[in-house]
PDB file of all heavy atoms in Angstrom:
ATOM      1  N   THR A   1     -13.510 -27.844  16.849  1.00 62.00           N
ATOM      2  CA  THR A   1     -12.476 -28.054  15.862  1.00 62.00           C
ATOM      3  C   THR A   1     -11.014 -27.968  16.458  1.00 62.00           C
ATOM      4  O   THR A   1     -10.131 -27.913  15.756  1.00 62.00           O
ATOM      5  CB  THR A   1     -12.605 -27.085  14.664  1.00 62.00           C
ATOM      6  OG1 THR A   1     -12.446 -25.708  15.319  1.00 62.00           O
ATOM      7  CG2 THR A   1     -13.984 -27.146  14.068  1.00 62.00           C
ATOM      8  N   GLY A   2     -10.970 -27.939  17.800  1.00 50.00           N
ATOM      9  CA  GLY A   2      -9.754 -27.704  18.402  1.00 50.00           C
ATOM     10  C   GLY A   2      -9.465 -26.319  18.726  1.00 50.00           C
ATOM     11  O   GLY A   2      -8.647 -25.961  19.571  1.00 50.00           O
ATOM     12  N   ASN A   3     -10.188 -25.415  17.945  1.00 53.00           N
ATOM     13  CA  ASN A   3      -9.969 -23.943  18.128  1.00 53.00           C
ATOM     14  C   ASN A   3     -11.357 -23.304  17.893  1.00 53.00           C
ATOM     15  O   ASN A   3     -11.733 -23.175  16.689  1.00 53.00           O
ATOM     16  CB  ASN A   3      -8.978 -23.357  17.260  1.00 53.00           C
ATOM     17  CG  ASN A   3      -8.757 -21.962  17.536  1.00 53.00           C
ATOM     18  OD1 ASN A   3      -9.361 -21.372  18.359  1.00 53.00           O
ATOM     19  ND2 ASN A   3      -7.795 -21.292  16.813  1.00 53.00           N
ATOM     20  N   GLU A   4     -12.222 -23.052  18.885  1.00 52.00           N
ATOM     21  CA  GLU A   4     -13.478 -22.661  18.729  1.00 52.00           C
ATOM     22  C   GLU A   4     -13.568 -21.112  18.401  1.00 52.00           C
ATOM     23  O   GLU A   4     -14.680 -20.621  18.210  1.00 52.00           O
ATOM     24  CB  GLU A   4     -14.329 -22.962  20.033  1.00 52.00           C
ATOM     25  CG  GLU A   4     -14.884 -24.366  20.027  1.00 52.00           C
ATOM     26  CD  GLU A   4     -13.682 -25.418  19.957  1.00 52.00           C
ATOM     27  OE1 GLU A   4     -12.930 -25.482  20.843  1.00 52.00           O
ATOM     28  OE2 GLU A   4     -13.698 -26.278  18.848  1.00 52.00           O
ATOM     29  N   ILE A   5     -12.505 -20.365  18.386  1.00 60.00           N
ATOM     30  CA  ILE A   5     -12.507 -18.998  18.174  1.00 60.00           C
ATOM     31  C   ILE A   5     -12.787 -18.864  16.632  1.00 60.00           C
ATOM     32  O   ILE A   5     -12.187 -19.541  15.790  1.00 60.00           O
ATOM     33  CB  ILE A   5     -11.143 -18.366  18.519  1.00 60.00           C
ATOM     34  CG1 ILE A   5     -10.971 -18.522  20.068  1.00 60.00           C
ATOM     35  CG2 ILE A   5     -11.237 -16.887  18.001  1.00 60.00           C
ATOM     36  CD1 ILE A   5      -9.545 -17.951  20.444  1.00 60.00           C
ATOM     37  N   SER A   6     -13.779 -18.096  16.360  1.00 58.00           N
ATOM     38  CA  SER A   6     -14.158 -18.052  14.872  1.00 58.00           C
ATOM     39  C   SER A   6     -13.145 -17.093  14.101  1.00 58.00           C
ATOM     40  O   SER A   6     -12.431 -16.336  14.539  1.00 58.00           O
ATOM     41  CB  SER A   6     -15.430 -17.288  14.887  1.00 58.00           C
ATOM     42  OG  SER A   6     -15.469 -15.844  15.102  1.00 58.00           O
ATOM     43  N   ASN A   7     -13.228 -17.485  12.851  1.00 64.00           N
ATOM     44  CA  ASN A   7     -12.194 -16.934  11.892  1.00 64.00           C
ATOM     45  C   ASN A   7     -12.562 -15.322  11.788  1.00 64.00           C
ATOM     46  O   ASN A   7     -11.726 -14.562  11.655  1.00 64.00           O
ATOM     47  CB  ASN A   7     -12.233 -17.491  10.579  1.00 64.00           C
ATOM     48  CG  ASN A   7     -11.575 -18.836  10.533  1.00 64.00           C
ATOM     49  OD1 ASN A   7     -10.579 -19.036  11.311  1.00 64.00           O
ATOM     50  ND2 ASN A   7     -11.885 -19.799   9.735  1.00 64.00           N
ATOM     51  N   VAL A   8     -13.945 -15.065  11.860  1.00 64.00           N
ATOM     52  CA  VAL A   8     -14.343 -13.732  11.764  1.00 64.00           C
ATOM     53  C   VAL A   8     -13.856 -12.857  12.904  1.00 64.00           C
ATOM     54  O   VAL A   8     -13.369 -11.769  12.740  1.00 64.00           O
ATOM     55  CB  VAL A   8     -15.908 -13.625  11.602  1.00 64.00           C
ATOM     56  CG1 VAL A   8     -16.341 -12.219  11.692  1.00 64.00           C
ATOM     57  CG2 VAL A   8     -16.317 -14.356  10.341  1.00 64.00           C
ATOM     58  N   SER A   9     -13.930 -13.582  14.059  1.00 64.00           N
ATOM     59  CA  SER A   9     -13.498 -12.817  15.336  1.00 64.00           C
ATOM     60  C   SER A   9     -11.907 -12.449  15.251  1.00 64.00           C
ATOM     61  O   SER A   9     -11.411 -11.420  15.527  1.00 64.00           O
ATOM     62  CB  SER A   9     -13.766 -13.634  16.641  1.00 64.00           C
ATOM     63  OG  SER A   9     -15.158 -13.661  16.682  1.00 64.00           O
ATOM     64  N   ARG A  10     -11.185 -13.516  14.739  1.00 68.00           N
ATOM     65  CA  ARG A  10      -9.783 -13.379  14.640  1.00 68.00           C
ATOM     66  C   ARG A  10      -9.471 -12.219  13.630  1.00 68.00           C
ATOM     67  O   ARG A  10      -8.556 -11.460  13.990  1.00 68.00           O
ATOM     68  CB  ARG A  10      -9.092 -14.673  14.167  1.00 68.00           C
ATOM     69  CG  ARG A  10      -8.409 -15.444  15.354  1.00 68.00           C
ATOM     70  CD  ARG A  10      -7.611 -16.580  14.688  1.00 68.00           C
ATOM     71  NE  ARG A  10      -8.321 -17.357  13.896  1.00 68.00           N
ATOM     72  CZ  ARG A  10      -8.823 -18.595  14.235  1.00 68.00           C
ATOM     73  NH1 ARG A  10      -8.664 -19.033  15.354  1.00 68.00           N
ATOM     74  NH2 ARG A  10      -9.450 -19.327  13.245  1.00 68.00           N
ATOM     75  N   ALA A  11     -10.105 -12.254  12.517  1.00 73.00           N
ATOM     76  CA  ALA A  11      -9.824 -11.196  11.531  1.00 73.00           C
ATOM     77  C   ALA A  11     -10.170  -9.924  11.943  1.00 73.00           C
ATOM     78  O   ALA A  11      -9.458  -8.895  11.744  1.00 73.00           O
ATOM     79  CB  ALA A  11     -10.647 -11.588  10.197  1.00 73.00           C
ATOM     80  N   CYS A  12     -11.355  -9.736  12.660  1.00 71.00           N
ATOM     81  CA  CYS A  12     -11.739  -8.478  13.191  1.00 71.00           C
ATOM     82  C   CYS A  12     -10.812  -7.923  14.246  1.00 71.00           C
ATOM     83  O   CYS A  12     -10.407  -6.731  14.261  1.00 71.00           O
ATOM     84  CB  CYS A  12     -13.010  -8.641  13.943  1.00 71.00           C
ATOM     85  SG  CYS A  12     -14.563  -8.719  12.700  1.00 71.00           S
ATOM     86  N   ARG A  13     -10.258  -8.831  15.094  1.00 70.00           N
ATOM     87  CA  ARG A  13      -9.210  -8.316  16.152  1.00 70.00           C
ATOM     88  C   ARG A  13      -7.920  -7.868  15.344  1.00 70.00           C
ATOM     89  O   ARG A  13      -7.414  -6.763  15.715  1.00 70.00           O
ATOM     90  CB  ARG A  13      -8.860  -9.578  16.994  1.00 70.00           C
ATOM     91  CG  ARG A  13      -9.620  -9.638  18.263  1.00 70.00           C
ATOM     92  CD  ARG A  13      -8.997 -10.443  19.342  1.00 70.00           C
ATOM     93  NE  ARG A  13      -8.403 -11.628  18.851  1.00 70.00           N
ATOM     94  CZ  ARG A  13      -9.045 -12.806  18.914  1.00 70.00           C
ATOM     95  NH1 ARG A  13     -10.283 -12.910  19.194  1.00 70.00           N
ATOM     96  NH2 ARG A  13      -8.283 -13.842  18.445  1.00 70.00           N
ATOM     97  N   ILE A  14      -7.494  -8.520  14.342  1.00 78.00           N
ATOM     98  CA  ILE A  14      -6.377  -8.191  13.693  1.00 78.00           C
ATOM     99  C   ILE A  14      -6.472  -6.881  12.884  1.00 78.00           C
ATOM    100  O   ILE A  14      -5.690  -5.878  13.065  1.00 78.00           O
ATOM    101  CB  ILE A  14      -5.948  -9.237  12.495  1.00 78.00           C
ATOM    102  CG1 ILE A  14      -5.415 -10.404  13.290  1.00 78.00           C
ATOM    103  CG2 ILE A  14      -4.895  -8.721  11.604  1.00 78.00           C
ATOM    104  CD1 ILE A  14      -5.228 -11.694  12.373  1.00 78.00           C
ATOM    105  N   LEU A  15      -7.625  -6.657  12.223  1.00 78.00           N
ATOM    106  CA  LEU A  15      -7.999  -5.538  11.442  1.00 78.00           C
ATOM    107  C   LEU A  15      -8.069  -4.218  12.354  1.00 78.00           C
ATOM    108  O   LEU A  15      -7.612  -3.212  12.015  1.00 78.00           O
ATOM    109  CB  LEU A  15      -9.261  -5.680  10.670  1.00 78.00           C
ATOM    110  CG  LEU A  15      -9.051  -6.563   9.421  1.00 78.00           C
ATOM    111  CD1 LEU A  15     -10.512  -6.717   8.716  1.00 78.00           C
ATOM    112  CD2 LEU A  15      -8.161  -5.954   8.340  1.00 78.00           C
ATOM    113  N   LYS A  16      -8.636  -4.443  13.596  1.00 76.00           N
ATOM    114  CA  LYS A  16      -8.797  -3.329  14.511  1.00 76.00           C
ATOM    115  C   LYS A  16      -7.519  -2.662  14.889  1.00 76.00           C
ATOM    116  O   LYS A  16      -7.340  -1.637  15.310  1.00 76.00           O
ATOM    117  CB  LYS A  16      -9.573  -3.742  15.682  1.00 76.00           C
ATOM    118  CG  LYS A  16     -11.024  -3.851  15.406  1.00 76.00           C
ATOM    119  CD  LYS A  16     -11.886  -4.357  16.663  1.00 76.00           C
ATOM    120  CE  LYS A  16     -13.322  -4.546  16.336  1.00 76.00           C
ATOM    121  NZ  LYS A  16     -14.106  -5.015  17.394  1.00 76.00           N
ATOM    122  N   GLN A  17      -6.420  -3.559  14.870  1.00 81.00           N
ATOM    123  CA  GLN A  17      -5.136  -3.046  15.288  1.00 81.00           C
ATOM    124  C   GLN A  17      -4.365  -2.385  14.109  1.00 81.00           C
ATOM    125  O   GLN A  17      -3.485  -1.554  14.445  1.00 81.00           O
ATOM    126  CB  GLN A  17      -4.268  -4.362  15.552  1.00 81.00           C
ATOM    127  CG  GLN A  17      -4.732  -5.048  16.894  1.00 81.00           C
ATOM    128  CD  GLN A  17      -3.890  -6.279  17.001  1.00 81.00           C
ATOM    129  OE1 GLN A  17      -2.990  -6.651  16.346  1.00 81.00           O
ATOM    130  NE2 GLN A  17      -4.441  -6.960  18.009  1.00 81.00           N
ATOM    131  N   TRP A  18      -4.867  -2.291  13.005  1.00 86.00           N
ATOM    132  CA  TRP A  18      -4.366  -1.722  11.794  1.00 86.00           C
ATOM    133  C   TRP A  18      -4.820  -0.289  11.664  1.00 86.00           C
ATOM    134  O   TRP A  18      -5.967  -0.048  12.032  1.00 86.00           O
ATOM    135  CB  TRP A  18      -4.433  -2.465  10.561  1.00 86.00           C
ATOM    136  CG  TRP A  18      -3.817  -3.846  10.579  1.00 86.00           C
ATOM    137  CD1 TRP A  18      -2.870  -4.322  11.440  1.00 86.00           C
ATOM    138  CD2 TRP A  18      -3.935  -4.755   9.630  1.00 86.00           C
ATOM    139  NE1 TRP A  18      -2.313  -5.542  11.078  1.00 86.00           N
ATOM    140  CE2 TRP A  18      -3.179  -5.906  10.026  1.00 86.00           C
ATOM    141  CE3 TRP A  18      -4.704  -5.005   8.530  1.00 86.00           C
ATOM    142  CZ2 TRP A  18      -3.072  -7.045   9.298  1.00 86.00           C
ATOM    143  CZ3 TRP A  18      -4.569  -6.225   7.774  1.00 86.00           C
ATOM    144  CH2 TRP A  18      -3.750  -7.220   8.128  1.00 86.00           C
ATOM    145  N   ASP A  19      -4.108   0.583  11.015  1.00 88.00           N
ATOM    146  CA  ASP A  19      -4.454   1.909  10.717  1.00 88.00           C
ATOM    147  C   ASP A  19      -5.591   1.768   9.458  1.00 88.00           C
ATOM    148  O   ASP A  19      -5.710   0.720   8.902  1.00 88.00           O
ATOM    149  CB  ASP A  19      -3.530   2.875  10.202  1.00 88.00           C
ATOM    150  CG  ASP A  19      -2.691   2.438   9.102  1.00 88.00           C
ATOM    151  OD1 ASP A  19      -3.180   1.819   8.199  1.00 88.00           O
ATOM    152  OD2 ASP A  19      -1.426   2.709   9.152  1.00 88.00           O
ATOM    153  N   GLU A  20      -6.247   2.944   9.153  1.00 87.00           N
ATOM    154  CA  GLU A  20      -7.389   2.729   8.260  1.00 87.00           C
ATOM    155  C   GLU A  20      -6.872   2.439   6.776  1.00 87.00           C
ATOM    156  O   GLU A  20      -7.489   1.630   6.076  1.00 87.00           O
ATOM    157  CB  GLU A  20      -8.052   4.161   8.170  1.00 87.00           C
ATOM    158  CG  GLU A  20      -9.213   4.189   7.294  1.00 87.00           C
ATOM    159  CD  GLU A  20     -10.004   5.461   7.233  1.00 87.00           C
ATOM    160  OE1 GLU A  20      -9.869   6.298   8.333  1.00 87.00           O
ATOM    161  OE2 GLU A  20     -10.659   5.826   6.375  1.00 87.00           O
ATOM    162  N   ARG A  21      -5.633   2.920   6.441  1.00 89.00           N
ATOM    163  CA  ARG A  21      -5.070   2.561   5.023  1.00 89.00           C
ATOM    164  C   ARG A  21      -4.848   1.144   5.005  1.00 89.00           C
ATOM    165  O   ARG A  21      -5.174   0.502   3.926  1.00 89.00           O
ATOM    166  CB  ARG A  21      -3.723   3.391   4.871  1.00 89.00           C
ATOM    167  CG  ARG A  21      -3.338   3.141   3.478  1.00 89.00           C
ATOM    168  CD  ARG A  21      -2.100   4.211   3.203  1.00 89.00           C
ATOM    169  NE  ARG A  21      -1.390   3.867   2.090  1.00 89.00           N
ATOM    170  CZ  ARG A  21      -0.127   3.475   2.001  1.00 89.00           C
ATOM    171  NH1 ARG A  21       0.577   3.262   3.039  1.00 89.00           N
ATOM    172  NH2 ARG A  21       0.425   3.116   0.949  1.00 89.00           N
ATOM    173  N   LYS A  22      -4.206   0.621   6.111  1.00 88.00           N
ATOM    174  CA  LYS A  22      -4.013  -0.940   5.999  1.00 88.00           C
ATOM    175  C   LYS A  22      -5.326  -1.770   5.887  1.00 88.00           C
ATOM    176  O   LYS A  22      -5.289  -2.781   5.339  1.00 88.00           O
ATOM    177  CB  LYS A  22      -3.123  -1.260   7.064  1.00 88.00           C
ATOM    178  CG  LYS A  22      -2.378  -2.406   6.997  1.00 88.00           C
ATOM    179  CD  LYS A  22      -1.378  -2.593   8.230  1.00 88.00           C
ATOM    180  CE  LYS A  22      -0.406  -3.847   7.999  1.00 88.00           C
ATOM    181  NZ  LYS A  22       0.419  -3.988   9.165  1.00 88.00           N
ATOM    182  N   GLN A  23      -6.337  -1.265   6.783  1.00 83.00           N
ATOM    183  CA  GLN A  23      -7.576  -2.004   6.654  1.00 83.00           C
ATOM    184  C   GLN A  23      -8.194  -1.979   5.281  1.00 83.00           C
ATOM    185  O   GLN A  23      -8.781  -3.013   4.959  1.00 83.00           O
ATOM    186  CB  GLN A  23      -8.490  -1.233   7.673  1.00 83.00           C
ATOM    187  CG  GLN A  23      -8.166  -1.527   9.161  1.00 83.00           C
ATOM    188  CD  GLN A  23      -9.060  -0.736  10.148  1.00 83.00           C
ATOM    189  OE1 GLN A  23      -9.983  -0.224   9.744  1.00 83.00           O
ATOM    190  NE2 GLN A  23      -8.769  -0.778  11.356  1.00 83.00           N
ATOM    191  N   GLU A  24      -8.101  -0.786   4.545  1.00 86.00           N
ATOM    192  CA  GLU A  24      -8.681  -0.715   3.367  1.00 86.00           C
ATOM    193  C   GLU A  24      -7.930  -1.667   2.339  1.00 86.00           C
ATOM    194  O   GLU A  24      -8.637  -2.278   1.413  1.00 86.00           O
ATOM    195  CB  GLU A  24      -8.620   0.752   2.795  1.00 86.00           C
ATOM    196  CG  GLU A  24      -9.633   1.675   3.519  1.00 86.00           C
ATOM    197  CD  GLU A  24      -9.409   3.149   3.103  1.00 86.00           C
ATOM    198  OE1 GLU A  24      -8.538   3.432   2.135  1.00 86.00           O
ATOM    199  OE2 GLU A  24     -10.063   4.054   3.634  1.00 86.00           O
ATOM    200  N   ARG A  25      -6.705  -1.652   2.380  1.00 89.00           N
ATOM    201  CA  ARG A  25      -5.869  -2.633   1.608  1.00 89.00           C
ATOM    202  C   ARG A  25      -6.318  -4.108   1.873  1.00 89.00           C
ATOM    203  O   ARG A  25      -6.424  -4.874   0.879  1.00 89.00           O
ATOM    204  CB  ARG A  25      -4.422  -2.518   1.964  1.00 89.00           C
ATOM    205  CG  ARG A  25      -3.792  -1.331   1.371  1.00 89.00           C
ATOM    206  CD  ARG A  25      -2.289  -1.367   1.596  1.00 89.00           C
ATOM    207  NE  ARG A  25      -1.533  -0.496   0.863  1.00 89.00           N
ATOM    208  CZ  ARG A  25      -0.246  -0.213   1.063  1.00 89.00           C
ATOM    209  NH1 ARG A  25       0.349  -0.826   2.230  1.00 89.00           N
ATOM    210  NH2 ARG A  25       0.486   0.550   0.369  1.00 89.00           N
ATOM    211  N   ALA A  26      -6.527  -4.369   3.043  1.00 84.00           N
ATOM    212  CA  ALA A  26      -6.921  -5.813   3.488  1.00 84.00           C
ATOM    213  C   ALA A  26      -8.379  -6.217   2.862  1.00 84.00           C
ATOM    214  O   ALA A  26      -8.547  -7.222   2.307  1.00 84.00           O
ATOM    215  CB  ALA A  26      -6.927  -6.033   4.939  1.00 84.00           C
ATOM    216  N   VAL A  27      -9.218  -5.112   2.973  1.00 81.00           N
ATOM    217  CA  VAL A  27     -10.597  -5.406   2.448  1.00 81.00           C
ATOM    218  C   VAL A  27     -10.456  -5.537   0.988  1.00 81.00           C
ATOM    219  O   VAL A  27     -11.226  -6.513   0.344  1.00 81.00           O
ATOM    220  CB  VAL A  27     -11.562  -4.245   2.916  1.00 81.00           C
ATOM    221  CG1 VAL A  27     -12.782  -4.313   2.192  1.00 81.00           C
ATOM    222  CG2 VAL A  27     -11.670  -4.375   4.488  1.00 81.00           C
ATOM    223  N   ASP A  28      -9.690  -4.747   0.246  1.00 84.00           N
ATOM    224  CA  ASP A  28      -9.544  -4.726  -1.225  1.00 84.00           C
ATOM    225  C   ASP A  28      -8.980  -6.158  -1.559  1.00 84.00           C
ATOM    226  O   ASP A  28      -9.462  -6.751  -2.461  1.00 84.00           O
ATOM    227  CB  ASP A  28      -8.673  -3.629  -1.699  1.00 84.00           C
ATOM    228  CG  ASP A  28      -9.397  -2.303  -1.723  1.00 84.00           C
ATOM    229  OD1 ASP A  28     -10.573  -2.261  -1.570  1.00 84.00           O
ATOM    230  OD2 ASP A  28      -8.642  -1.261  -1.726  1.00 84.00           O
ATOM    231  N   LEU A  29      -7.973  -6.618  -0.915  1.00 85.00           N
ATOM    232  CA  LEU A  29      -7.477  -7.967  -1.135  1.00 85.00           C
ATOM    233  C   LEU A  29      -8.520  -9.059  -0.878  1.00 85.00           C
ATOM    234  O   LEU A  29      -8.593  -9.993  -1.773  1.00 85.00           O
ATOM    235  CB  LEU A  29      -6.234  -8.188  -0.218  1.00 85.00           C
ATOM    236  CG  LEU A  29      -5.544  -9.483  -0.300  1.00 85.00           C
ATOM    237  CD1 LEU A  29      -4.989  -9.648  -1.769  1.00 85.00           C
ATOM    238  CD2 LEU A  29      -4.367  -9.574   0.557  1.00 85.00           C
ATOM    239  N   MET A  30      -9.279  -8.990   0.163  1.00 78.00           N
ATOM    240  CA  MET A  30     -10.352  -9.958   0.336  1.00 78.00           C
ATOM    241  C   MET A  30     -11.442  -9.886  -0.782  1.00 78.00           C
ATOM    242  O   MET A  30     -11.876 -10.903  -1.155  1.00 78.00           O
ATOM    243  CB  MET A  30     -11.065  -9.682   1.661  1.00 78.00           C
ATOM    244  CG  MET A  30     -10.172 -10.065   2.861  1.00 78.00           C
ATOM    245  SD  MET A  30     -11.139 -10.070   4.454  1.00 78.00           S
ATOM    246  CE  MET A  30     -10.826  -8.290   4.886  1.00 78.00           C
ATOM    247  N   LYS A  31     -11.825  -8.760  -1.230  1.00 78.00           N
ATOM    248  CA  LYS A  31     -12.688  -8.586  -2.339  1.00 78.00           C
ATOM    249  C   LYS A  31     -12.233  -9.299  -3.532  1.00 78.00           C
ATOM    250  O   LYS A  31     -12.876 -10.026  -4.197  1.00 78.00           O
ATOM    251  CB  LYS A  31     -13.039  -7.080  -2.503  1.00 78.00           C
ATOM    252  CG  LYS A  31     -13.956  -6.433  -1.619  1.00 78.00           C
ATOM    253  CD  LYS A  31     -14.071  -5.053  -2.047  1.00 78.00           C
ATOM    254  CE  LYS A  31     -14.709  -4.086  -0.987  1.00 78.00           C
ATOM    255  NZ  LYS A  31     -14.882  -2.730  -1.608  1.00 78.00           N
ATOM    256  N   TYR A  32     -10.915  -9.060  -3.862  1.00 78.00           N
ATOM    257  CA  TYR A  32     -10.300  -9.581  -5.039  1.00 78.00           C
ATOM    258  C   TYR A  32     -10.286 -11.073  -4.842  1.00 78.00           C
ATOM    259  O   TYR A  32     -10.508 -11.767  -5.805  1.00 78.00           O
ATOM    260  CB  TYR A  32      -8.944  -8.947  -5.229  1.00 78.00           C
ATOM    261  CG  TYR A  32      -8.210  -9.673  -6.282  1.00 78.00           C
ATOM    262  CD1 TYR A  32      -8.349  -9.306  -7.645  1.00 78.00           C
ATOM    263  CD2 TYR A  32      -7.148 -10.587  -6.024  1.00 78.00           C
ATOM    264  CE1 TYR A  32      -7.719  -9.871  -8.647  1.00 78.00           C
ATOM    265  CE2 TYR A  32      -6.498 -11.185  -7.108  1.00 78.00           C
ATOM    266  CZ  TYR A  32      -6.822 -10.900  -8.393  1.00 78.00           C
ATOM    267  OH  TYR A  32      -6.095 -11.437  -9.348  1.00 78.00           O
ATOM    268  N   TYR A  33      -9.745 -11.539  -3.760  1.00 77.00           N
ATOM    269  CA  TYR A  33      -9.582 -13.044  -3.560  1.00 77.00           C
ATOM    270  C   TYR A  33     -10.885 -13.686  -3.637  1.00 77.00           C
ATOM    271  O   TYR A  33     -11.082 -14.829  -4.130  1.00 77.00           O
ATOM    272  CB  TYR A  33      -8.784 -13.256  -2.187  1.00 77.00           C
ATOM    273  CG  TYR A  33      -8.604 -14.659  -1.899  1.00 77.00           C
ATOM    274  CD1 TYR A  33      -7.691 -15.497  -2.623  1.00 77.00           C
ATOM    275  CD2 TYR A  33      -9.521 -15.393  -0.987  1.00 77.00           C
ATOM    276  CE1 TYR A  33      -7.429 -16.830  -2.309  1.00 77.00           C
ATOM    277  CE2 TYR A  33      -9.213 -16.699  -0.773  1.00 77.00           C
ATOM    278  CZ  TYR A  33      -8.257 -17.403  -1.414  1.00 77.00           C
ATOM    279  OH  TYR A  33      -8.134 -18.674  -1.072  1.00 77.00           O
ATOM    280  N   LEU A  34     -11.921 -13.047  -2.999  1.00 74.00           N
ATOM    281  CA  LEU A  34     -13.225 -13.817  -2.989  1.00 74.00           C
ATOM    282  C   LEU A  34     -14.124 -13.390  -4.070  1.00 74.00           C
ATOM    283  O   LEU A  34     -15.282 -13.971  -4.232  1.00 74.00           O
ATOM    284  CB  LEU A  34     -13.971 -13.492  -1.638  1.00 74.00           C
ATOM    285  CG  LEU A  34     -13.227 -14.017  -0.461  1.00 74.00           C
ATOM    286  CD1 LEU A  34     -13.780 -13.382   0.864  1.00 74.00           C
ATOM    287  CD2 LEU A  34     -13.065 -15.411  -0.331  1.00 74.00           C
ATOM    288  N   GLU A  35     -13.650 -12.524  -5.062  1.00 72.00           N
ATOM    289  CA  GLU A  35     -14.416 -12.084  -6.198  1.00 72.00           C
ATOM    290  C   GLU A  35     -15.709 -11.494  -5.584  1.00 72.00           C
ATOM    291  O   GLU A  35     -16.737 -11.785  -6.293  1.00 72.00           O
ATOM    292  CB  GLU A  35     -14.518 -13.124  -7.265  1.00 72.00           C
ATOM    293  CG  GLU A  35     -13.278 -13.519  -7.773  1.00 72.00           C
ATOM    294  CD  GLU A  35     -13.331 -14.752  -8.782  1.00 72.00           C
ATOM    295  OE1 GLU A  35     -14.468 -15.037  -9.271  1.00 72.00           O
ATOM    296  OE2 GLU A  35     -12.365 -15.177  -9.201  1.00 72.00           O
ATOM    297  N   LEU A  36     -15.694 -10.657  -4.637  1.00 57.00           N
ATOM    298  CA  LEU A  36     -16.933 -10.063  -4.149  1.00 57.00           C
ATOM    299  C   LEU A  36     -17.246  -8.698  -4.792  1.00 57.00           C
ATOM    300  O   LEU A  36     -16.361  -7.908  -5.253  1.00 57.00           O
ATOM    301  CB  LEU A  36     -16.775  -9.787  -2.654  1.00 57.00           C
ATOM    302  CG  LEU A  36     -16.508 -11.047  -1.769  1.00 57.00           C
ATOM    303  CD1 LEU A  36     -16.273 -10.709  -0.348  1.00 57.00           C
ATOM    304  CD2 LEU A  36     -17.759 -11.916  -1.843  1.00 57.00           C
ATOM    305  N   ASP A  37     -18.476  -8.403  -4.852  1.00 56.00           N
ATOM    306  CA  ASP A  37     -18.820  -7.171  -5.507  1.00 56.00           C
ATOM    307  C   ASP A  37     -19.555  -6.346  -4.297  1.00 56.00           C
ATOM    308  O   ASP A  37     -20.855  -6.211  -4.259  1.00 56.00           O
ATOM    309  CB  ASP A  37     -19.764  -7.250  -6.686  1.00 56.00           C
ATOM    310  CG  ASP A  37     -20.210  -6.103  -7.362  1.00 56.00           C
ATOM    311  OD1 ASP A  37     -19.384  -5.136  -7.276  1.00 56.00           O
ATOM    312  OD2 ASP A  37     -21.187  -6.048  -8.002  1.00 56.00           O
TER     313      ASP A  37
END
C-alpha cells in the first residue's frame, strides 16, 4: 500500500510512549469511537 507498516504496530508504538493515564484515555476514546464493549 506504499506503507507496509501495520496500523496496529504504529498505534502500539505510540501508546507505549505514553503514561498509563494517557493510554487509558486513548483506549476509552477508541471504545467510544468504535462502539466496542
Side-chain angles (χ1 to χ4, degrees):
T1 60
N3 184 0
E4 279 57 64
I5 298 173
S6 74
N7 289 331
V8 172
S9 294
R10 254 193 309 259
C12 287
R13 270 200 318 270
I14 291 167
L15 288 171
K16 285 179 184 177
Q17 296 172 3
W18 294 352
D19 63 37
E20 188 175 336
R21 183 171 170 245
K22 202 170 182 181
Q23 288 176 6
E24 288 173 4
R25 284 179 162 169
V27 169
D28 288 343
L29 181 61
M30 284 186 277
K31 286 180 192 177
Y32 174 78
Y33 179 73
L34 299 172
E35 298 178 8
L36 299 176
D37 187 22

